[in-house]
Amino acid sequence: MLRRLYDWTMAKAAHRHAEWWLALFAFMEASFFPVPPHPLLGLMCLAEPKKAIRFAVIATLASVVGGLLGYAIGHFAYAAFGEALLRALGLADSFPKAACYLREYGAEIIVVKGATPIPFKLLTITAGFIGMNLAVFIGASIVSRSISFMIVGVLFRLFGAPIKAVIDKHLGKVTAAFAVAVVAGFLAVAFLGGGAKETNQKCDLAPVSAAAAQAA
């Protein structure tokens, strides 16, 4: 099923309303859709490199707005269907650990997400569940999504189609380096204070139930 969803997503790259499809996929992926919009973004940038930054901005903004839906699901409707959604996406077991890290590190975890395979939807739903400050959540989401999408847009705009091979091979490293630079100062404080190891151990042993995660 996931493969069919992926193929269907890719078919939208050639659609005359491709920008709207990109916005829709970026919006949905931030809250409940299992297929990331990056392949669609890459194909669109490959087809029209001069519009690459425009496409990246669309994906970034739509993903941030979609993240607000994920936040609302976690904050207002976790018991009703948020928990079932995470279970269907295979993310239920990761939820307590995500809640622990978000409580301990806040915005830094959302920013670092731009350099990791952590599903953004897991963080948006969890942030809503724990009641993370909404302004902080939005700001961190903008940075995180910019890291994830704007690097692709800028590289395509500067170098055009030939950059695709480089992106395919090295984007993970470039994105990781940028995200680490953004949060290094914040994390350094925790490490220098000696609390990071204890925090990581505590979160690795986070309780598996939603109720326990909420009470932690």
Side-chain angles (χ1 to χ4, degrees), residues 78 86-87 89-102 109 117-119 121-123 126 203-204 206-210 213:
Y78 185 82
L86 290 180
R87 213 165 26 241
L89 293 169
L91 301 174
D93 290 343
S94 301
F95 169 76
K97 187 182 294 187
C100 178
Y101 275 107
L102 277 172
I109 293 299
I118 300 171
K121 63 186 73 62
L122 172 63
L123 295 182
T126 305
C203 291
D204 286 341
V208 297
S209 71

Side-chain angles (χ1 to χ4, degrees), residues 117-191:
I118 300 171
F120 189 52
K121 63 186 73 62
L122 172 63
L123 295 182
T124 64
I125 292 173
T126 305
F129 180 85
I130 68 170
M132 183 178 185
N133 180 279
L134 188 57
V136 172
F137 171 76
I138 293 173
S141 295
I142 291 173
V143 175
S144 176
R145 299 287 78 188
S146 295
I147 292 173
S148 188
F149 298 122
M150 292 303 295
I151 288 177
V152 176
V154 169
L155 289 177
F156 266 106
R157 183 64 183 86
L158 292 177
F159 302 105
I163 197 64
K164 183 178 186 299
V166 178
I167 288 177
D168 289 343
K169 187 175 182 180
H170 299 294
L171 180 61
K173 296 177 182 178
V174 173
T175 302
F178 184 79
V180 168
V182 171
V183 300
F186 295 103
L187 295 182
V189 173
F191 279 99

Side-chain angles (χ1 to χ4, degrees), residues 6 81 166:
Y6 180 86
F81 59 88
V166 178

